Amino acid sequence: MLLLIAAQLVAALLAPALVRWWGPRAFFALALVPAATFGWLLAALPRLTAEGAVREQVGWIPTLRLDLDLRIDALAALMALLVTGVGALILLYSRWYFADEREGLGRYAFSFMAFAGAMLGLVVSDNVLLLYVFWELTTIFSYLLIAQYYDVRSSRRAALQALIVTTFGGLAMLVGFVLLGAVSGSYQLSYLVAHPPQGGVAVAAAVLLLLGVLSKSAIVPLHFWLPSAMAAPTPVSAYLHAAAMVKAGIYLIARMNPQFAALPVWRWSLLVLGAAGLLVGAWKALRQADLKLLLAYGTVSQLGFMAFSFGIGTPQAALAGVLLIVAHALYKSTTFLVVGAIDHATGTRDLRLLSGLGRRAPLLALAAALGIASMIGVPPLLGFVAKDAVYEAARGTLPAGPGPVVLVAVTFLGAVLTVAYGVRFWWGAFATWDPDRPEADRARPTHAVGRGIVAAPLLLALAGLGAGLTLPWLGPALARAAGTPELEVGLWHGIGLPLLASLAGLLGGAVLVVALRRRGAVRALVPEHLEAQAQYRRLMRGLDRVAGEVTGATQRGSLPFYLGAALVVLAALLLWVLLAGGRPALPGGWEPWDSPAEAWVAVLTVIAVVAAARSRQRLAAVLLVGVSGYAMVAIFVMRGAPDLALTQALVETCTLVAFVLVLRKLPKTIRHRHSGRQRARRLLIAIPLGVLVAVGGAVALGMRTAPAISERFPGPVYDFGGGRNIVNVILVDLRAWDTFGEISVLLAAATGVASLVFLRRPTGSPPQLDQNARRRTALPAQHRTFLRGGLAVAAENRSVVLELATRVLFPTMIVLSVYLLFAGHNVPGGGFTGGLVAGLALVVRYLAAGRYELGEAAPIDAGLVLGLGLLFAGGTGAAALLTGGAVLQSTIWTATLPLFGDVKLVSALFFDIGVYLVVVGLVLDILRSLGAELDRREESAGAAPNAGGEPAR
Amino acid sequence: MSALLAADLAPFPVPSIEYSAISPLIAIFGAAVLGVLVEALLPRTARRPVQLVLTFGALAVAFGLVIWQRDTRATVLEGAVTIDGPTLFLQGTIIALAFVAALVMAERRVDVAGDDFAPRASALPGSDYERDLTRLGWLQTEVWPLLLFSIGGMVLFPASGDLLTMFIALEVLSLPLYLLTGMARRRRLLSQEASLKYFVLGAFSSALFLYGVALLYGFAGTVSLSGIAEALTDDAQQYGLVLGGTALVAIGLLFKIGASPFHQWTPDVYQGAPTSVTGFMAACTKVAAFGALLKVLFVALGGVRWDWAPMLWVIAVLTMVVGSIVAITQTDMKRMLAYSAVAQAGFVLVGVVAASPDGMAGTLVYLVAYGFASVGAFAVVTLVRDATGEATHLSQWAGLGKRSPLVAGVFALFLLAFAGIPLTSGFIGKFAVFTAGVASGAVALVVIAVVASAIAAFFYIRVILLMFFHDPAPDGPAVVVPSSMTTIAIAVTVAVTIVVGVIPQPLLALISDAGVFVR
């Protein structure tokens, strides 16, 4: 069996080449493949009857329990026979239908063969996951087949619509299968049918499976894709939309019915939706002028009828359903192929234009007549037998179902409508309407209906007749397929309700046809906007619109917006944590403040922050932000942490300087103003988030269970680090590795800033630093002045007071910085702080007298300072190795020196010197690049405006 | 200034270093450092070949080392790194994906001006300087060490044994990515803007991650993943810290994953970055971040599964739905793929929410399937070009199937894989996570995932429709014939997509042999 499916797929791969070589005649060869399968199945039938089922199992993906697990029982064999038999005949038919077409034929042949293979696989799969795989494959290949004439827009849309609807249904079905598998522990179809799960899971699975079934078998309300799919070539419609694909859903119903018939949701869905499909489809079929659309709606109607029949739930009903499947496959493919032949010969399918075809193509008319007769239930055709069986089933019903009266009434009504559109089809296609008028008016004059093209529909029609006549032999096999071998299938049950109802239905249909003809055109009873097709369109449009709006609303490319969205989520999460996190207690011993002055500091901070947010001046805004930093300094001081306060103050100052250096190159005022609403929105995010973060932080502190690591610091700080300033000893000893890493980062950052600013070479070697900016500039020494660099500054820009003050301050600051460096181990200070002070001293020089003064103050390369610093720090670490210690281990020497008294020298001091140098280097680097270099450019740009941005050297 | 570690202050034990277990990391980081030296010391013309040899050599060696270490289950480097089955699987996946993505980055035939990168990222866009460099045919070779550092971070990410190592890995993988994003040769401003956005939002997410780490430390008194798990087994009094920490750490990781509502950077960055980098980022970052997420959630926070699962449930739904729906309106191929990546992340999250060994296996399968298809898809995008560079507008792809059936067919295959059509790798991934989801009782989530898949299938198939069933515009873009680099990359990704789709059993067996994370 697996081989046969594989053969089908191999044939599919070869098909394009065959078509290229042999043209449409290749279809003869291709038809052999399904025909062979058909033959194999026939030959296997006796064995099937004897053994009940033939199995074939090959492992594929055992981990996912997805295996090639095939099982042919009576039902599968019946479906497979239909799929292959009808498939072979339609391939034969294609040879004539596509006789004059070349383009796209290879793709058609491939898709058709592949589809047939997938369909075959679908009906013989015993693994539900495998079934799903084949199910999706049929969807995809059907898509290709429907889109055969893809240059027609409606054709593409129809194909896409069919694909979307059935893919969605298929995925839902997959979940249903997975659910069943998860509960019952097996993905084997036969096992699932034999061991139905119970309860809510079964209901959920049933609903999900139904979604798949409805979409695939075009049952109301998911039927709308089928009429649109008539854009496909007619042989495709005959196969997909009559015999094969749409039957996949019905097949699944037939399979699962024994398991699910006990579930009201399953049965009622089938009954209600089936009945709706039966009546709506038939009614709409009656309104069509296009023969093919008429058949399409007829198919919707008949598929609904099958679902309805299975929905009754009794064994008799199951039998009736299976009979309907077979009968429908035969007569509907017949009629589709007839329409194809008509279309091919006359170029139209409009029954208002066709006339006199019955005389010109008697064989075709005969095939159509047989097909229609079966459809409307004329004895002794198979269609009659099937309808008869439905009436029989409708008389008995399960408890908690609708009464027999309702069931019979629905069946009868459906039958009347079916007769009406069936008769209309045949009459419209073949009757001679107006013998006086030349046919040329009515339809394009074309060639006669060929002989070959009639063969397939005629054979199928005769099969319908033959099946009816050979029922005594065929009946038991069909009953076995329905799983009801005990029931008898016969042509003649005596005169009873079924027969009478059938005959009354025929009569009613005839009356309806006459009545409708008299009333002229059939008017629409269903308003257009209620139609499923329109709903689908609306859904898709809505989806497009929602997508557009969501994109417009959320994806503006605005960074503040993105950040805002993330912050809102963060706030929501924090709130959730605070509410759900159990005991939101503040830590014990909390008090508002140590001294009331702290409250004033807080108030000041708040005012400054608000003012900063409102400021229109960039500089003012930065300064106001700085206030919060200095407020922290105040808090540190009040809390008795002078070392932290000192460091914080210096860092804040240096940051401000860097800020100012950059900001002076930007426009002074912030021109872009946010609207009031924007600001309100931001406030709405900012304030709650700020509150939540603060409260969250406080609560988190109160919740911590682990003791703070800092409590263990004081001892080691003195014992190992040899110092009393904890902060400093942490930096240079306990966590010296961290510090070392951080000063490396600092160095890299400084280099990065500098290289960005100094980059200006068009091509050639890597950018080199401008000599003037980094080295002292020789200035004439004849003038005596406070700061020599000031000579290079224009007189109106100089401030004597500032220069004088700087002259005095600078040495003092340097001394202070050195003191801080050395004293830092025990009292507030340290290399970091000292470095910052020295850096600030340089800042003062630069601010007082411009860029040349910087060169005067620090006539060395900033990179050299940075490098030296890192070398010192690293060297200290490495030196410890020489003395036999671990890396960065401190050594303490004590000595008594004259004048100084007792001196205690800790090796960490050298490390601290390294830190000092790095910090000084960093500040120097910033001044040199963001300060002096930018000044220089401004000057040269002012001096030579035509230089085009490339500063003259 | 100094970060306070939780290490004991008592005499410092010399850490034992299990070199073999971390040998893949050493190979990658070592090569990255060498790459920096190459940049500093070698003449410009010699750099590119050396960098390529270094990069591909390091990746190949690292992959070999991962295979060599396949049976290692160990906690090494004083608990900073744990190596186990899933970790090794993730590492192997990341390295393999990176290798393929790097092949696309090394391509220099598709763009007449050189490769995918600006000759010097710091040059002003549109300046004479930049034009001169382009004219001289300069190629940026610093991308290679950057790439290696990023890969190193990714390989370390899921191997982290404590949250600080994880944070460092996060930064090491992210920072080079921010830079690489800003280095596109074409559309420089878009690229720089993307880089800035990625950096700011990424830095923000890193900060949140760190905040979360602090809270978890406050709860457990340790940052080690197993330590946190142990603390959770005790009576969890300070529940709020755990919840807050979990949420914040998860947000940090979900940012990198690109899960909604933290996905907004994705389309901008995917569009702005050089396409070859986008492919790398889309695949490798996602794998690494999911690996880290799995590790945190399963190893450290397994005890509070009932708290994070609902949160992830909501995020998964949001991610799938937003990604799928918004992708529909996209008119730019890269943006569409970006949203598709968002939606895919949502599907992967279904496997995470399942919170079971099956769910984890499903997640891993999905990541492999998605990763290769993603690299492949972006590689194809680099090939469709017109005079101004890549032709990424959807309308320009109309009728591509008629001009270059092979390239369009390959792209269609990737799209089908994204859509989860059977016989492609995507189906196996989807099926695996959906099964795990259903088995763990998240039926509603899986149903929503199915609806989202159907919507996603809609836009994937619309692109296929566009390529094959529309007529090409007369002045449409051309498909450039790439060198063997991109060709190999595309061939490999196609092969993986098909092989995993048709015979996934070896991969699935590998994953189930990998077992679960060690503690």
Side-chain angles (χ1 to χ4, degrees):
Chain A
M1 196 64 228
L2 206 53
L3 271 180
L4 290 171
I5 298 175
Q8 193 87 32
L9 297 176
V10 170
L13 290 176
L14 293 178
L18 289 180
V19 169
R20 200 171 308 135
W21 292 332
W22 298 336
R25 271 170 307 179
F27 286 116
F28 286 134
L30 294 175
L32 285 178
V33 181
T37 314
F38 188 81
W40 182 87
L41 283 163
L42 279 184
L45 276 182
R47 202 174 123 217
L48 268 179
T49 321
E51 297 174 14
V54 179
R55 303 192 65 111
E56 218 174 285
Q57 263 178 308
V58 177
W60 182 18
I61 317 176
T63 313
L64 298 179
R65 287 190 282 178
L66 170 49
D67 289 315
L68 300 175
D69 189 356
L70 306 182
R71 178 173 180 271
I72 310 181
D73 59 359
L75 180 60
L78 179 69
M79 296 301 297
L81 281 170
L82 284 179
V83 167
T84 52
V86 177
L89 284 175
I90 291 179
L91 277 168
L92 277 184
Y93 177 89
S94 300
R95 183 255 170 270
W96 283 284
Y97 188 84
F98 290 111
D100 341 310
E101 273 181 62
R102 294 304 286 236
E103 202 196 334
L105 207 53
R107 193 176 65 239
Y108 168 81
F110 162 76
S111 313
F112 194 96
M113 295 303 289
F115 173 85
M119 193 65 212
L120 184 61
L122 195 158
V123 294
V124 298
S125 300
D126 196 35
N127 182 303
V128 286
L129 305 175
L130 185 65
L131 190 150
Y132 169 77
V133 169
F134 282 124
W135 181 284
E136 286 291 284
L137 289 180
T138 61
T139 302
I140 290 171
F141 293 125
S142 78
Y143 168 77
L144 292 174
L145 287 169
I146 296 173
Q148 175 70 16
Y149 298 129
Y150 59 79
D151 29 6
V152 185
R153 185 175 147 83
S154 65
S155 183
R156 293 195 305 257
R157 278 177 64 168
L160 186 60
Q161 179 179 314
L163 183 66
I164 295 299
V165 174
T166 48
T167 304
F168 166 71
L171 281 166
M173 187 184 79
L174 174 64
V175 177
F177 282 146
V178 170
L179 205 54
L180 285 179
V183 172
S184 52
S186 168
Y187 286 109
Q188 205 174 60
L189 188 54
S190 48
Y191 179 89
L192 288 177
V193 173
H195 305 84
Q198 302 297 325
V201 176
V203 174
V207 171
L208 289 165
L209 291 191
L210 267 178
L211 274 176
V213 165
L214 295 181
S215 67
K216 197 80 167 178
S217 287
I219 294 168
V220 169
L222 297 179
H223 64 286
F224 52 87
W225 64 267
L226 184 60
S228 315
M230 290 303 125
T234 305
V236 170
S237 301
Y239 194 42
L240 267 60
H241 308 134
M245 191 176 80
V246 291
K247 292 287 167 52
I250 302 292
Y251 163 74
L252 200 64
I253 298 181
R255 265 287 171 228
M256 306 306 269
N257 215 37
Q259 176 189 3
F260 284 133
L263 290 177
V265 60
W266 173 269
R267 218 168 64 238
W268 276 97
S269 304
L270 288 181
L271 277 175
V272 172
L273 298 176
L278 169 63
L279 299 180
V280 170
W283 176 252
K284 297 193 80 167
L286 207 48
R287 291 168 48 204
Q288 303 304 319
D290 184 330
L291 288 174
K292 203 172 165 190
L293 272 183
L294 188 155
L295 288 182
Y297 280 109
T299 307
V300 169
S301 168
Q302 290 298 311
L303 291 167
F305 194 30
M306 291 170 216
F308 172 78
S309 174
F310 280 110
I312 296 172
T314 56
Q316 173 66 34
L319 175 61
V322 167
L323 288 173
L324 278 177
I325 293 177
V326 180
H328 181 256
L330 295 176
Y331 69 69
K332 199 44 80 58
S333 45
T334 305
T335 44
F336 264 118
L337 293 182
V338 166
V339 171
I342 292 174
D343 194 7
H344 197 258
T346 66
T348 184
R349 302 187 306 233
D350 192 330
L351 52 72
R352 289 166 306 192
L353 297 181
L354 291 164
S355 176
L357 204 59
R359 277 182 308 181
R360 283 192 290 143
L363 278 179
L364 199 62
L366 174 65
L370 281 174
I372 294 295
S374 180
M375 178 167 88
I376 64 180
V378 176
L381 290 131
L382 192 57
F384 166 75
V385 181
K387 200 161 286 183
D388 201 50
V390 180
Y391 278 121
E392 187 67 39
R395 290 163 69 189
T397 176
L398 287 181
V405 180
V406 180
L407 296 178
V408 170
V410 169
T411 314
F412 179 75
L413 205 57
V416 169
L417 290 170
T418 307
V419 171
Y421 75 75
V423 170
R424 191 158 170 266
F425 172 87
W426 196 88
W427 214 257
F430 293 101
T432 307
W433 291 89
D434 196 351
D436 298 335
R437 289 174 62 188
E439 284 173 15
D441 276 2
R442 306 190 68 92
R444 185 160 62 85
T446 43
H447 59 87
V449 176
R451 247 183 236 165
I453 207 165
V454 183
L458 199 59
L459 273 174
L460 284 165
L462 290 175
L465 179 65
L469 291 175
T470 56
L471 217 49
W473 295 279
L474 212 54
L478 291 171
R480 261 203 311 283
T484 55
E486 70 282 3
L487 292 179
E488 190 199 337
V489 189
L491 201 52
W492 182 251
H493 292 288
I495 300 177
L497 172 91
L499 182 63
L500 291 177
S502 287
L503 294 179
L506 281 174
L507 200 64
V511 171
L512 186 61
V513 171
V514 175
L516 288 177
R517 282 204 62 188
R518 203 164 284 166
R519 284 204 46 195
V522 183
R523 297 244 295 279
L525 287 186
V526 188
E528 203 60 35
H529 67 263
L530 274 181
E531 292 199 357
Q533 169 82 21
Q535 293 298 337
Y536 166 83
R537 290 237 172 92
R538 185 169 304 178
L539 182 74
M540 288 325 232
R541 263 204 310 275
L543 201 61
D544 262 342
R545 211 185 51 235
V546 168
E549 277 170 10
V550 171
T551 313
T554 63
Q555 207 71 51
R556 300 174 179 170
S558 147
L559 189 55
F561 183 85
Y562 294 171
L563 207 52
L567 288 175
V568 168
V569 179
L570 175 65
L573 264 177
L574 279 174
L575 192 65
W576 170 68
V577 167
L578 282 175
L579 295 179
R583 190 170 56 85
L586 293 176
W590 265 55
E591 53 203 37
W593 48 65
D594 269 357
S595 75
E598 286 178 19
W600 289 110
V601 174
V603 169
L604 189 70
T605 311
V606 170
I607 293 172
V609 166
V610 171
R614 295 188 58 87
S615 168
R616 281 166 180 263
Q617 306 287 325
R618 283 181 208 277
L619 273 179
V622 168
L623 289 173
L624 285 165
V625 170
V627 169
S628 62
Y630 290 112
M632 281 312 294
V633 175
I635 300 270
F636 284 142
V637 169
M638 292 174 199
R639 291 261 160 178
D643 44 355
L644 284 183
L646 184 60
T647 312
Q648 170 80 21
L650 293 169
V651 167
E652 198 60 44
T653 312
C654 274
T655 316
L656 266 183
V657 169
F659 250 129
V660 170
L661 287 178
V662 175
L663 283 186
R664 67 199 171 118
K665 298 296 167 202
L666 293 178
K668 282 204 179 69
T669 51
I670 303 169
R671 263 186 233 121
H672 179 73
R673 300 299 293 174
H674 298 288
S675 69
R677 194 193 288 176
Q678 273 175 319
R679 290 204 283 182
R681 229 175 3 224
R682 287 173 186 206
L683 272 182
L684 218 58
I685 299 175
I687 292 177
L689 186 69
V691 171
L692 280 169
V693 168
V695 173
V699 171
L701 272 180
M703 282 184 157
R704 73 178 291 167
T705 46
I709 196 168
S710 54
E711 286 168 16
R712 289 183 287 170
F713 275 1
V717 161
Y718 194 77
D719 299 340
F720 299 112
R724 285 193 291 274
N725 179 352
I726 291 190
V727 177
N728 186 256
V729 176
I730 289 172
L731 286 182
V732 299
D733 189 303
L734 290 186
R735 293 278 173 248
W737 265 120
D738 292 1
T739 311
F740 190 66
E742 281 153 8
I743 56 176
S744 314
V745 172
L746 221 53
L747 189 135
T751 313
V753 170
S755 62
L756 277 179
V757 171
F758 284 100
L759 170 94
R760 59 162 193 278
R761 292 273 174 128
T763 49
S765 58
Q768 284 185 344
L769 306 183
D770 186 274
Q771 299 302 311
N772 289 337
R774 57 197 295 212
R775 295 257 162 78
R776 63 179 297 171
T777 312
L779 284 166
Q782 61 268 42
H783 298 282
R784 289 199 59 82
T785 176
F786 296 115
L787 297 176
R788 270 158 46 87
L791 294 175
V793 180
E796 66 271 22
N797 289 342
R798 291 182 64 180
S799 156
V800 177
V801 177
L802 193 56
E803 286 185 18
L804 172 63
T806 306
R807 184 76 200 238
V808 176
L809 262 178
F810 183 75
T812 324
M813 286 175 85
I814 295 296
V815 170
L816 175 67
S817 79
V818 174
Y819 165 75
L820 287 172
L821 166 64
F822 284 99
H825 219 52
N826 291 321
V827 295
F832 185 70
T833 321
L836 282 173
V837 171
L840 283 175
L842 291 174
V843 169
V844 170
R845 288 281 288 270
Y846 165 72
L847 290 179
R851 62 192 179 98
Y852 288 107
E853 185 58 33
L854 188 64
E856 292 289 320
I860 37 167
D861 187 350
L864 196 65
V865 181
L866 285 166
L868 266 178
L870 205 60
L871 192 67
F872 250 98
T876 313
L881 282 178
L882 294 180
T883 60
V887 178
L888 289 169
Q889 190 176 350
S890 291
T891 316
I892 305 172
W893 300 279
T894 45
T896 308
L897 290 182
L899 289 177
F900 283 90
D902 286 342
V903 171
K904 177 167 143 191
L905 185 63
V906 183
S907 64
L909 175 66
F910 298 104
F911 187 85
D912 226 7
I913 293 174
V915 175
Y916 177 92
L917 288 174
V918 167
V919 174
V920 172
L922 173 74
V923 176
L924 189 60
D925 213 21
I926 289 174
L927 288 174
R928 177 172 69 90
S929 51
L930 296 179
E933 171 66 10
L934 293 187
D935 288 347
R936 191 190 61 73
R937 279 190 208 175
E938 203 162 74
E939 285 166 24
S940 46
N946 295 331
E950 180 56 31
R953 275 191 290 281
Chain B
M1 175 143 184
S2 167
L4 298 180
L5 281 169
D8 206 342
L9 285 168
F12 195 61
V14 180
S16 61
I17 298 176
E18 293 81 352
Y19 288 102
S20 59
I22 57 164
S23 53
L25 284 167
I26 295 175
I28 295 172
F29 281 125
V33 171
L34 280 181
V36 174
L37 291 179
V38 166
E39 285 301 310
L41 303 178
L42 286 193
R44 198 175 54 78
T45 46
R47 286 181 207 156
R48 185 179 146 92
V50 176
Q51 292 286 20
L52 289 185
V53 169
L54 256 182
T55 306
F56 290 108
L59 290 176
V61 168
F63 193 74
L65 290 171
V66 167
I67 293 173
W68 173 51
Q69 288 294 314
R70 63 190 176 279
D71 294 324
T72 303
R73 306 283 183 271
T75 302
V76 298
L77 293 184
E78 303 293 314
V81 169
T82 52
I83 301 291
D84 48 34
T87 303
L88 285 163
F89 181 83
L90 285 161
Q91 290 184 329
T93 307
I94 292 166
I95 295 169
L97 282 170
F99 192 96
V100 180
L103 282 172
V104 185
M105 289 172 69
E107 174 67 53
R108 56 187 291 194
R109 194 181 289 170
V110 298
D111 195 324
V112 285
D115 57 9
D116 215 2
F117 301 96
R120 178 166 280 172
S122 55
L124 269 183
S127 63
D128 294 337
Y129 178 32
E130 196 184 53
R131 264 191 295 281
D132 287 344
L133 291 175
T134 310
R135 192 171 38 77
L136 289 174
W138 275 35
L139 294 180
Q140 176 70 272
T141 46
E142 282 173 12
V143 292
W144 298 107
L146 285 174
L147 178 73
L148 278 176
F149 274 119
S150 185
I151 297 169
M154 288 168 182
V155 171
L156 175 61
F157 209 23
S160 313
D162 62 51
L163 289 170
L164 268 184
T165 309
M166 194 174 270
F167 176 73
I168 290 165
L170 175 68
E171 291 302 290
V172 171
L173 83 86
S174 301
L175 290 169
L177 278 183
Y178 304 147
L179 285 174
L180 287 172
T181 300
M183 287 193 178
R185 179 181 284 273
R186 312 274 180 158
R187 298 208 259 180
R188 294 280 307 126
L189 286 177
L190 195 70
S191 174
Q192 292 187 345
E193 183 186 330
S195 178
L196 179 72
K197 279 179 185 165
Y198 195 17
F199 170 66
V200 171
L201 291 171
F204 175 73
S205 74
S206 297
L208 290 184
F209 182 91
L210 208 52
Y211 193 178
V213 173
L215 292 186
L216 287 178
Y217 176 77
F219 163 76
T222 171
V223 287
S224 123
L225 297 178
S226 50
I228 293 170
E230 243 166 63
L232 278 174
T233 54
D234 305 340
D235 191 18
Q237 288 279 318
Q238 304 302 344
Y239 195 52
L241 286 182
V242 184
L243 273 189
T246 307
L248 290 170
V249 166
I251 288 180
L253 295 175
L254 289 170
F255 244 111
K256 281 282 166 283
I257 285 167
S260 188
F262 316 108
H263 68 284
Q264 282 149 319
W265 57 271
T266 334
D268 293 357
V269 172
Y270 279 26
Q271 188 186 16
T275 306
S276 54
V277 173
T278 310
F280 166 68
M281 212 158 50
C284 296
T285 313
K286 211 151 270 188
V287 176
F290 264 110
L293 185 71
L294 285 173
K295 193 139 195 178
V296 171
L297 293 181
F298 283 72
V299 175
L301 300 167
V304 284
R305 183 149 64 96
W306 302 117
D307 294 301
W308 55 254
M311 183 181 92
L312 282 186
W313 197 98
V314 174
I315 286 178
V317 169
L318 210 59
T319 309
M320 292 185 289
V321 171
V322 168
S324 308
I325 287 185
V326 176
I328 293 176
T329 48
Q330 301 309 315
T331 51
D332 183 279
M333 187 59 82
K334 282 168 85 176
R335 286 184 85 85
M336 194 210 82
L337 287 175
Y339 281 108
S340 134
V342 172
Q344 301 291 336
F347 296 131
V348 187
L349 279 174
V350 174
V352 181
V353 173
S356 61
D358 273 355
M360 203 176 83
T363 308
L364 296 182
V365 182
Y366 205 118
L367 288 172
V368 172
Y370 163 78
F372 280 94
S374 201
V375 171
F378 280 107
V380 173
V381 171
T382 62
L383 300 184
V384 182
R385 312 182 79 96
D386 59 14
T388 60
E390 284 159 11
T392 55
H393 198 275
L394 271 187
S395 64
Q396 293 173 296
W397 285 61
L400 198 72
K402 293 188 182 145
R403 289 204 172 145
S404 331
L406 185 65
V407 169
V410 164
F411 197 67
L413 173 73
F414 294 135
L415 292 179
L416 289 176
F418 287 144
I421 301 296
L423 301 185
T424 64
S425 58
F427 167 69
I428 303 295
K430 273 215 174 74
F431 179 68
V433 294
F434 287 179
T435 321
V438 169
S440 73
V443 178
L445 178 65
V446 174
V447 169
I448 295 170
V450 159
V451 174
S453 308
I455 296 174
F458 172 63
F459 67 77
Y460 291 128
I461 286 162
R462 215 158 54 164
V463 174
I464 298 180
L465 197 78
L466 184 76
M467 288 193 300
F468 284 96
F469 296 150
H470 281 258
D471 289 321
D475 54 345
V479 171
V480 183
V481 179
S483 70
S484 58
M485 294 279 193
T486 307
T487 312
I488 293 173
I490 292 179
V492 169
T493 49
V494 165
V496 171
T497 305
I498 293 175
V499 168
V500 173
V502 178
I503 29 177
Q505 188 52 34
L507 178 71
L508 295 169
L510 190 66
I511 289 173
S512 66
D513 288 347
V516 291
F517 289 120
V518 298
R519 288 212 163 155

